[in-house]
Amino acid sequence: MRGRSGRRRGAPDTKGEILAAARAVFGERGYDGASVRAIAAAAGVDPALVHHYFGTKEKLFLAAMEIPWDPALIADAIADDSTGVGVGERAIRTFLSVWEQPAGRGPILALLRSAMQHETAALLLRQFVTRAILGRALVAFQGVPDGALRAEAMVSHLIGLAIVRYVVKLEPLASVSDEELVRLVAPVLQRYHDGPFEPGE
Amino acid sequence: MRGRSGRRRGAPDTKGEILAAARAVFGERGYDGASVRAIAAAAGVDPALVHHYFGTKEKLFLAAMEIPWDPALIADAIADDSTGVGVGERAIRTFLSVWEQPAGRGPILALLRSAMQHETAALLLRQFVTRAILGRALVAFQGVPDGALRAEAMVSHLIGLAIVRYVVKLEPLASVSDEELVRLVAPVLQRYHDGPFEPGE
């Protein structure tokens, strides 16, 4: 179907071949180790064609993994403190906007499943989360001592929440409304931003 | 090896057959739906022999899944408020006592992996966590409104922490010491016990 679109250039399945090559190279080398050049070589095309079709490495990764949301927008929504709403509430609301949509949930669950099965997939997820989400969202923790550690603890809570609410489906947590979840979780996440923490002795 | 032990009665592989039958029946029917009677029937032995070898259904489940820790002790350690330490710190310390041991980590990770792949395994994990851990640990939330919801939110954070620290290995979270993790996470978990929460409008 896609190959028949008049808007696209190149052979009908060139894009599909690039995406397959991207999945293979990301899977073997991780996010940081994979380059557009290596993916182009694996697909037997010019790197310029990959850039033409997909833009950046990040966008190529999102297309290859069929992730329908933009991590930059996710991270910006968490980082944006101009709304008068704390980072805890921004994080849980952004989380719900992705996970309450089955189309948004599927690909990230697939990534998480792979990461739990294979060391290389765990590396891929770690690097992707670090580069594409944490790196940007950390703006919200600027000036907070141990900001990266606090932000990762917050992310870890959200990952666990996803598993318990959408996969394991523990009740009553699986059935509370979005607004109830925000009221329950936001102040706890906010504690990671605002609360005291003495890292070492 | 086990079959050669002089301490055990019955044919050398009867225990192994009961464990295999237990895995199959738990996998098909979930934790609540599986009975010692059904497992005995699947193994072709008398239910009394299953009780003789393994005791309760919970103990049979732990043996079948090769879980080396006792959920009753885990739950009691979280529930025991005679120590002068808050439930948040008790929960994170108990968590670390299981997850910092590779032998303790392996089986629960295997359960979690299965739960993320198969609906029936998710049911099994949900029922096991509910019956064997949450049901007992909820003592710590007695008298707290919405105690079950608060306790599950706490559990969800611990599950996510396990994935980020031991599977995805996000740094710096993967490398902080146990004591640093306690100082970071305990007050946040405690907030689920003590903090205000208005569930509905």
Side-chain angles (χ1 to χ4, degrees), chain A residues 156, chain B residues 95 99 112 157-168:
Chain A
S156 81
Chain B
F95 165 87
W99 283 90
L112 205 50
H157 189 357
L158 293 174
I159 289 175
L161 203 59
I163 290 173
V164 166
R165 182 169 166 90
Y166 302 108
V167 180
V168 180

Side-chain angles (χ1 to χ4, degrees), chain A residues 70-142:
Chain A
D70 183 342
L73 294 181
I74 299 284
D76 288 351
I78 297 171
D80 175 19
D81 64 356
S82 70
T83 55
V85 167
V87 65
E89 180 167 339
R90 296 193 315 260
I92 180 69
R93 287 199 186 279
T94 307
F95 165 87
L96 284 166
S97 73
V98 169
W99 283 91
E100 287 292 326
Q101 308 295 331
R105 192 188 307 167
I108 189 75
L109 255 181
L111 267 179
L112 204 50
R113 281 192 184 105
S114 299
M116 292 186 66
Q117 303 282 354
H118 312 290
E119 192 75 31
T120 50
L123 173 79
L124 185 64
L125 184 61
R126 172 166 76 244
Q127 295 177 338
F128 173 66
V129 169
T130 303
R131 298 278 169 275
I133 300 181
L134 272 176
R136 291 172 177 131
L138 271 177
V139 171
F141 285 80
Q142 260 175 1

Side-chain angles (χ1 to χ4, degrees), chain A residues 52 57 91 97 120 194:
Chain A
H52 169 74
K57 179 167 90 170
S97 73
T120 50
D194 306 339

Side-chain angles (χ1 to χ4, degrees), chain B residues 109-123:
Chain B
L109 254 182
L111 267 180
L112 205 50
R113 280 191 186 106
S114 300
M116 292 185 68
Q117 302 283 353
H118 311 289
E119 192 75 32
T120 50
L123 174 80

Side-chain angles (χ1 to χ4, degrees), chain A residues 109 112-117 119 122-123 125-126 129-130 134 148-150 152-157 159-161 163-164 167-174 176 179-180 183-185 187-189 191-192 196-201, chain B residues 109 112-117 119 122-123 125-126 129-130 134 148-150 152-157 159-161 163-164 167-174 176 179-180 183-185 187-189 191-192 196-201:
Chain A
L109 255 181
L112 204 50
R113 281 192 184 105
S114 299
M116 292 186 66
Q117 303 282 354
E119 192 75 31
L123 173 79
L125 184 61
R126 172 166 76 244
V129 169
T130 303
L134 272 176
L149 187 60
R150 291 164 179 263
E152 287 175 11
M154 186 184 274
V155 165
S156 81
H157 190 357
I159 289 175
L161 204 58
I163 290 172
V164 166
V167 181
V168 181
K169 295 177 186 160
L170 270 183
E171 293 295 352
L173 188 63
V176 294
E179 284 305 315
E180 279 178 307
R183 282 196 293 273
L184 179 70
V185 176
V188 172
L189 294 180
R191 174 71 175 67
Y192 275 126
F197 167 58
E198 294 292 330
E201 257 86 36
Chain B
L109 254 182
L112 205 50
R113 280 191 186 106
S114 300
M116 292 185 68
Q117 302 283 353
E119 192 75 32
L123 174 80
L125 184 61
R126 172 166 75 243
V129 168
T130 303
L134 272 177
L149 187 61
R150 290 164 179 264
E152 287 176 12
M154 187 185 275
V155 165
S156 82
H157 189 357
I159 289 175
L161 203 59
I163 290 173
V164 166
V167 180
V168 180
K169 295 176 185 161
L170 269 185
E171 293 295 355
L173 189 63
V176 295
E179 285 305 315
E180 279 179 307
R183 281 196 292 273
L184 179 68
V185 175
V188 172
L189 294 180
R191 174 71 174 66
Y192 275 126
F197 167 55
E198 295 293 330
E201 258 85 35

Side-chain angles (χ1 to χ4, degrees), chain A residues 9 13 49-50 59 82 84 106 122 133 136 139 158 161:
Chain A
R9 293 192 294 177
D13 55 353
L49 191 68
V50 178
K59 285 181 179 156
S82 70
I133 300 181
R136 291 172 177 131
V139 171
L158 293 174
L161 204 58

